[in-house]
Amino acid sequence: MVDKEMLTAIAELLDEKLEEKLEQKLEEKLEEKLDQKLDQKLDEKLDQKLQPVYDRLDRLESDMKYVRVVQLENHIIPRLNTIEACYVDTAKRYVERTEQIDAMCAHKGSAKRCFRPQPEIEQDIRIAMKKRCKKDSNPIDISNFLC
């Protein structure tokens, strides 16, 4: 009987150990499954609650893109085109007029040689008028002839 009792005691010990291990494994599996389910439910709930926020955000983003495009097309691009046209026209005029400006500078030098200053012209007129007045008895007022 001692053998039988020992066998029974060993069987009971093995049963206890096996039961403990199974319980521990079962608890771990159950806890893992519970965590997964809880995470899944929380994700679904959160997505459900945040969906209106996501929708509004999408609408806002599309509205912002529309506003940017409209602003660019209607305001900024036409203004840039106007500025560009003005600058290009002005630059063309400057390029075209450089030769004319150079020619004018050259003519200015020759004009200085051709024309005399006003006081010299006035002096010549006075001299001519005095000579004429000596011939004629009526003196002429030359102030009307001078600028």
Side-chain angles (χ1 to χ4, degrees):
M1 281 233 160
V2 175
D3 286 337
K4 232 180 189 186
E5 286 176 11
M6 284 203 42
L7 283 174
T8 312
I10 290 175
E12 282 177 17
L13 278 173
L14 283 175
D15 282 343
E16 280 178 31
K17 284 273 187 189
L18 185 61
E19 203 170 305
E20 275 180 31
K21 287 271 185 187
L22 282 174
E23 253 183 65
Q24 187 180 5
K25 285 282 185 189
L26 187 63
E27 273 184 42
E28 287 174 5
K29 284 286 186 184
L30 188 61
E31 194 173 309
E32 190 178 301
K33 281 283 189 187
L34 204 61
D35 285 345
Q36 284 178 352
K37 283 286 186 186
L38 186 62
D39 286 347
Q40 183 181 0
K41 286 286 185 186
L42 282 174
D43 287 346
E44 288 173 5
K45 254 318 187 194
L46 190 60
D47 285 345
Q48 194 177 36
K49 293 275 185 185
L50 287 177
Q51 192 58 43
V53 174
Y54 290 143
D55 293 341
R56 283 184 64 197
L57 187 60
D58 288 342
R59 280 194 313 270
L60 282 172
E61 285 175 347
S62 69
D63 288 349
M64 285 299 296
K65 286 178 186 174
Y66 174 76
V67 166
R68 285 182 184 149
V69 168
V70 167
Q71 286 291 328
L72 279 172
E73 286 179 355
N74 294 340
H75 299 289
I76 296 171
I77 292 174
R79 285 181 178 177
L80 283 176
N81 289 337
T82 303
I83 292 168
E84 178 188 18
C86 289
Y87 276 108
V88 169
D89 288 346
T90 304
K92 284 180 183 176
R93 278 196 310 263
Y94 283 140
V95 168
E96 291 170 358
R97 302 289 183 185
T98 53
E99 292 176 9
Q100 186 180 7
I101 291 169
D102 292 341
M104 286 172 56
C105 287
H107 287 292
K108 180 182 167 190
S110 63
K112 277 185 180 179
R113 284 183 261 128
C114 293
F115 297 108
R116 296 185 319 199
Q118 182 74 21
E120 288 179 17
I121 295 171
E122 290 174 5
Q123 184 67 30
D124 289 348
I125 291 173
R126 281 193 184 99
I127 292 171
M129 293 305 280
K130 282 182 184 178
K131 284 181 185 178
R132 189 166 194 207
C133 285
K134 285 182 183 178
K135 289 181 186 177
D136 295 338
S137 60
N138 295 340
I140 299 172
D141 185 19
I142 64 167
S143 62
N144 294 335
F145 297 110
L146 300 177
C147 299

